[in-house]
Amino acid sequence: MKYLVASMLVTASTAALARPAPLVSIPSHDGFFNNIAAHCGKAYEGKVTVDNATGPSSFAGKKLIMHVRHCNERELQVPFHVGDDASRTWIITKTGSGLSLKHDHRHKDGSDDASTMYGGHTVDAGFVNAQSFPADQYSKELFASQGIPQSMGNTWQMYIYPKQFTYRLVREGREFRVDFDLTKPITPPNAPWGYTD
């Protein structure tokens, strides 16, 4: 019995001292992540450069701001403000199998929107300046349940170059793109809905 207790204590103390598993990644994903993280704390104004949707755009005439607001070694939080609407935050995460892009949508009171945390995951190396995120299974099922099955074919793309950051959505018959001028930082906006400063 003494040996059993001693063995359990040694095992427990070893487990308590075990280091966390390493976060693995590849150079192109690291480079892309780091290129965005280099702008941490800064905000930039953008404009819609492509939108082939029919009908009036909800973005028309509104100030568009991206804010690289929170950064750590695993996650970047980038709110995307559309006029007074602070409901959107892009979350880019290192997963150990690539990069994930999620769209965190909140209501003004901070509660989750019914359409939130959709997005995708890289399926290849991409480039230090560009990554693609085809819709993941959670997103496909969410879109189907919401009656928008056409969105199941979504691929989100992000490009970052010294002078410009681009957010782009593409699927069959649909393209939407916003370009942000990285040469002119602006005063960062308040925290997005559901987050604190």
Side-chain angles (χ1 to χ4, degrees):
M1 185 66 173
K2 286 182 182 178
Y3 293 112
L4 179 60
V5 171
S7 176
M8 290 173 63
L9 289 172
V10 169
T11 301
S13 65
T14 302
L17 298 175
R19 67 173 177 76
L23 176 64
V24 296
S25 191
I26 61 173
S28 56
H29 293 159
D30 287 339
F32 177 81
F33 188 95
N34 293 340
N35 280 339
I36 297 174
H39 295 272
C40 205
K42 296 180 181 176
Y44 304 96
E45 192 167 350
K47 62 182 178 181
V48 175
T49 53
V50 178
D51 187 357
N52 67 352
T54 57
S57 170
S58 61
F59 289 40
K62 295 181 180 174
K63 191 171 187 176
L64 307 179
I65 297 172
M66 66 170 284
H67 177 200
V68 186
R69 183 174 178 274
H70 175 77
C71 311
N72 62 39
E73 65 177 5
R74 289 178 181 258
E75 182 180 279
L76 306 173
Q77 295 175 2
V78 185
F80 174 39
H81 296 256
V82 179
D84 294 330
D85 184 338
S87 64
R88 302 168 177 87
T89 299
W90 301 321
I91 301 176
I92 303 159
T93 307
K94 289 186 179 183
T95 66
S97 298
L99 297 172
S100 165
L101 168 66
K102 289 291 186 175
H103 298 74
D104 183 1
H105 283 229
R106 311 278 184 102
H107 295 292
K108 200 166 188 176
D109 65 2
S111 61
D112 295 328
D113 191 272
S115 179
T116 192
M117 298 310 287
Y118 61 84
H121 198 283
T122 56
V123 295
D124 57 25
F127 303 93
V128 295
N129 300 109
Q131 293 291 335
S132 292
F133 306 88
D136 58 27
Q137 192 61 35
Y138 166 80
S139 304
K140 291 176 182 180
E141 294 186 22
L142 176 68
F143 296 147
S145 72
Q146 294 181 332
I148 49 172
Q150 65 273 22
S151 294
M152 292 169 70
N154 283 3
T155 294
W156 296 272
Q157 298 172 329
M158 288 182 165
Y159 307 86
I160 183 159
Y161 292 94
K163 295 183 178 181
Q164 183 172 289
F165 175 87
T166 296
Y167 169 87
R168 182 177 183 235
L169 163 67
V170 290
R171 67 171 178 260
E172 186 175 351
R174 179 76 172 107
E175 181 178 3
F176 174 79
R177 173 175 172 155
V178 183
D179 294 326
F180 297 88
D181 184 352
L182 299 181
T183 68
K184 299 175 182 175
I186 63 171
T187 302
N190 293 330
W193 298 343
Y195 290 75
T196 57
D197 282 323

